[in-house]
Amino acid sequence: MPEDRTAVVDDSSRMLEKALRDLSMQYYSLDRCHQCGICTEACPHTNLRKAERFSPRVFIQKARLGLIDLAGGELWRCTTCGSCLQVCPYEVPLVDIIVSLRNLVFEQGAGYVPPSFKAVLASLAASGNPWREDPDKRADWFEELAPQGESRPEAPEILLFAGCFPSYDRRGRSIARAAVQILREAGIGFDILGNEEKCCGDSALKIGDMKTFERLRKANLEAFSGRHAERIYTLAPHCSHVMKTRYAFGRDNGTAAKPFLLLLHELVVEGRLPLGEVKRARAVFHDPCYLGKYEGITEEPREILARIPGLETAEMAHHGKRSLCCGAGGGGFWLDTLKGERLAEIRLDEAVEAGADLLVTACPYCLAMFEASRASDNRWAGLEILDIGELVLRSLSDKPGM
Amino acid sequence: MTGLKAALTLDEFEIPSVIVEKSGELGGKVRGYGKTFPDFRSGRALVSGLVKRVDSTGMIRVLRNCTVSGIRTEGDHYRVRLSDGTSLDAHAVILAFGFEPFDATRQEEYGYGVCPNVIAAPELEALLDPLGPTKGRLLRPSDGKPVRKAAIIFCVGSRSKRTDSPYCSRICCSYSTKQAIEIKESDPDAQVVCFYMDIRTYGRGFEEMHQYAREIGVKYIRGRVSECCALPDGDILVRAENTLLGKPVQGVFDLVSLSVGMTPSPDTSSLAEMLGIELGTDGFFISADGGLSPHDTGREGIFLAGAVTGLKPIRDCILEGTSAGGRAAAYLRRRRA
């Protein structure tokens, strides 16, 4: 086929451009971009060593000319991490643009959708979790932990929203169990949604499947409505973020969803958790995007680490709001990405370069990405990966007399 | 410059004036410019020429180290209260107190104020000045090492909604290009790399200067820098995308200079409030009649000149000082009649 050198876009491109503009409801947002490229340098994909990389700048240039190849995979590479939003001088809402375009593709069948997404979304719609797991076994992790006959408090102080990975996955359940043990140690009365809990919908939303998202949102809101749920703490910052921005509760009854990390921080700072010495380790903290970049929470996890005796801390080259994504966001968790092209590998390398033997994070999805990549190569074998709750629990249990 | 020029113009109409100067010396920021663009004339010489003329006429009184603490109408004139407790009466007031460079610490990712070898353009200006602290030798602050590789980052505090300064500061592309030429001319082997988004060398002779810079080997890379990192030896790692090639690039430099934009002078808002005159959303004064009366304000007898209404090169400030002086003279003559 001869090379296309037309400068003016054809009709189909114009239709796509128009659809995108209408959908994004940000008519001028595309044109605000000056193609300065500051986003490309901030984008985690730029750190991958491969020839064809996702570039936010190029994506926008193509989008406003209607030249996105919807039959290709480019649209699905963005993890919605928000690095570009941190630096863009013109505040171009790239993540909104991407999600709008995905929504268009998804709902109108207008292009390629990664096959792995389809199964996940079907499962989310049918079972409320991404793995076709039995909804009635969602709270098994908790039942196994609860001493027989213990009744739930009538007026719990908080509601713990576990999320899918901590509810079903073997590795993930350790995060959920740690949270419960910490709450018990601190004497916090809490409740969970149990089997009524469904996926928060973050993945469905960021993939562009609004119908599934709405279904999950409604189911969770209904479950919340029957509980004392003014203070909701979620183990994944994705869950609290989507609740805060999309669940539209809190307007009348003051309900608020926050990352569990904030409660953990509160308990540690108030001295309600007697932290004991842990095995010597040099720890780095990986800032999850929906915690650091979206919520601006970067100091609190470091304050927790600083209070754990025996721990030495360091920083990775990218940290705080300039942290790089693990690759899980925006549906990335469900993509089959080849070894050598995974964003998580960049973080593992940075952790090793910082001389760390312990990589701590505060998002179950970051943890899962790191665990999966670590197993793929020997050079990360010396690195232990923990959720910050697991680490705090370790600091509690290793204490003499416990 | 603007104020001096306005006073000298009033002098030509034989109208006496008082210059209230905040600092100890006349001439404002131009006094600190070793060379100005596009003709590389000394800023200091420009100022001293004007100051000499101000001093030689008997009509201009100069109050140094003095600020305005209040202005109110009294009968047919304004009573201006001064910081030294005295006051003076004037039938017309010209506001010509200029601008403030953007505070580069506000753009944290460039490390200004943290890495000693990341400097802002006014500091580079001083380092390039033959009468400056290094006698014009470009030595980097951390260890005095001569600079062989310099990066200049354009649009710092300009064209950014994020820093609340969405406007183009107009002069940065040109002054930075001038500085790049100075570095290159004093050491042809030095590498100078300018990271830019657009080159806006719009004035007479400005674009020719830009072309000359390219001809003598100043490199321009189109891409806005996302981050500067200090290396242990004091060098600075700069990362950007070369957007024309669509490739990420990085370079290690001895020194990084930030082309800071211009922001409204911190005195703008208090004077606006004191006088009840309007500010634009960008924080600069707005002139009357939708700009058709460029020096007038909503208050009779209060006039605007120079960078207080937005960003201008020296040449335009000279022009504005001259025309504001003329406008005030016309106002005073009509008033008398």
Side-chain angles (χ1 to χ4, degrees), chain A residues 166 169-179 181 386 390 393:
Chain A
D169 183 85
R170 240 187 97 217
R171 177 69 185 84
R173 282 181 172 184
S174 153
I175 300 172
R177 281 197 294 264
Q181 283 169 267
L386 281 182
E390 294 177 312
L393 180 67

Side-chain angles (χ1 to χ4, degrees), chain B residues 37 154 168 170-178 198-211 220:
Chain B
F37 63 84
F154 287 36
C168 168
R170 296 181 75 205
I171 61 164
C172 329
C173 286
S174 297
Y175 78 61
S176 302
T177 293
K178 182 219 69 159
D198 297 296
I199 299 286
R200 295 183 164 177
T201 44
Y202 62 95
R204 186 178 180 192
F206 298 4
E207 175 56 21
E208 291 91 321
M209 178 181 69
H210 166 221
Q211 286 170 18
Y220 287 83

Side-chain angles (χ1 to χ4, degrees), chain A residues 32 34-38 40-42 46 53 55 57-58 85-91 318 322, chain B residues 109-110 159-162 166 197-198 222-227 239-243 246 248-249:
Chain A
R32 250 185 0 229
H34 280 59
Q35 292 286 296
C36 74
I38 197 168
T40 302
E41 204 17 71
T46 304
R53 276 180 300 243
S55 155
R57 177 187 66 80
V58 173
L85 308 178
Q86 295 283 321
V87 297
C88 177
Y90 287 93
E91 295 174 348
H318 294 86
R322 306 287 297 207
Chain B
E109 61 269 33
Y110 293 154
R159 306 182 71 192
S160 174
K161 285 161 111 67
R162 210 157 55 83
M197 175 158 75
D198 297 296
R222 189 186 182 283
R224 215 158 162 169
V225 169
S226 79
E227 204 176 4
R239 288 205 191 94
E241 184 195 7
N242 182 330
T243 58
V249 292

Side-chain angles (χ1 to χ4, degrees), chain B:
Chain B
M1 289 294 280
T2 312
L4 297 180
K5 205 56 200 161
L8 286 167
T9 306
L10 287 167
D11 179 61
E12 286 183 57
F13 286 97
E14 297 180 336
I15 297 169
S17 63
V18 182
I19 297 177
V20 182
E21 168 61 47
K22 193 176 187 177
S23 77
E25 272 185 83
L26 291 176
K29 303 215 168 36
V30 180
R31 195 159 32 85
Y33 302 157
K35 293 201 172 80
T36 59
F37 63 84
D39 46 20
F40 294 82
R41 280 193 299 166
S42 153
R44 200 174 295 112
L46 284 178
V47 168
S48 63
L50 287 183
V51 172
K52 221 172 274 169
R53 283 161 61 190
V54 165
D55 287 341
S56 66
T57 155
M59 295 283 229
I60 305 173
R61 214 175 116 208
V62 180
L63 303 172
R64 292 178 177 82
N65 298 310
C66 185
T67 56
V68 172
S69 46
I71 301 182
R72 62 187 162 90
T73 320
E74 193 150 300
D76 66 341
H77 60 268
Y78 287 104
R79 172 147 295 177
V80 181
R81 225 161 7 98
L82 300 172
S83 52
D84 60 6
T86 65
S87 62
L88 53 90
D89 293 341
H91 290 112
V93 177
I94 299 176
L95 303 176
F97 48 80
F99 69 97
E100 186 73 10
F102 176 79
D103 172 12
T105 57
R106 286 178 55 207
Q107 212 150 336
E108 284 171 30
E109 61 269 33
Y110 293 154
Y112 180 76
V114 182
C115 320
N117 296 329
V118 176
I119 63 173
E123 294 150 49
L124 178 59
E125 197 61 38
L127 290 175
L128 293 170
D129 185 350
L131 300 179
T134 56
K135 304 204 165 25
R137 291 187 64 208
L138 187 53
L139 308 175
R140 69 180 193 178
S142 73
D143 51 12
K145 184 180 143 187
V147 173
R148 307 306 308 274
K149 285 184 78 176
I152 301 181
I153 300 178
F154 287 36
C155 280
V156 178
S158 299
R159 306 182 71 192
S160 174
K161 285 161 111 67
R162 210 157 55 83
T163 52
D164 213 19
S165 44
Y167 47 79
C168 168
S169 292
R170 296 181 75 205
I171 61 164
C172 329
C173 286
S174 297
Y175 78 61
S176 302
T177 293
K178 182 219 69 159
Q179 291 176 331
I181 291 172
E182 285 180 83
I183 298 172
K184 201 72 189 158
E185 283 189 336
S186 71
D187 178 4
D189 292 332
Q191 281 189 43
V192 188
V193 180
C194 299
F195 291 93
Y196 72 100
M197 175 158 75
D198 297 296
I199 299 286
R200 295 183 164 177
T201 44
Y202 62 95
R204 186 178 180 192
F206 298 4
E207 175 56 21
E208 291 91 321
M209 178 181 69
H210 166 221
Q211 286 170 18
Y212 172 71
R214 289 189 185 252
E215 281 163 20
I216 64 170
V218 175
K219 295 281 179 263
Y220 287 83
I221 293 181
R222 189 186 182 283
R224 215 158 162 169
V225 169
S226 79
E227 204 176 4
C228 299
C229 308
L231 303 177
D233 59 359
D235 289 356
I236 309 291
L237 175 68
V238 176
R239 288 205 191 94
E241 184 195 7
N242 182 330
T243 58
L244 297 180
L245 293 177
K247 269 191 173 166
V249 292
Q250 61 179 49
V252 175
F253 297 93
D254 299 321
L255 182 82
V256 171
S257 174
L258 308 177
S259 298
V260 287
M262 303 158 92
T263 61
S265 158
D267 301 320
T268 313
S269 51
S270 63
L271 271 157
E273 204 173 309
M274 211 183 279
L275 293 165
I277 52 182
E278 211 186 333
L279 291 182
T281 50
D282 57 7
F284 292 95
F285 289 127
I286 293 181
S287 46
D289 298 342
L292 284 176
S293 305
H295 301 297
D296 290 22
T297 65
R299 288 289 292 277
E300 198 178 312
I302 307 279
F303 300 104
L304 307 170
V308 294
T309 53
L311 313 157
K312 302 176 178 67
I314 294 168
R315 187 188 284 170
D316 293 23
C317 289
I318 292 171
L319 190 65
E320 286 226 347
T322 310
S323 72
R327 171 71 189 103
Y331 165 78
L332 293 171
R333 174 174 297 177
R334 204 186 53 208
R335 219 183 129 271
R336 220 178 303 141

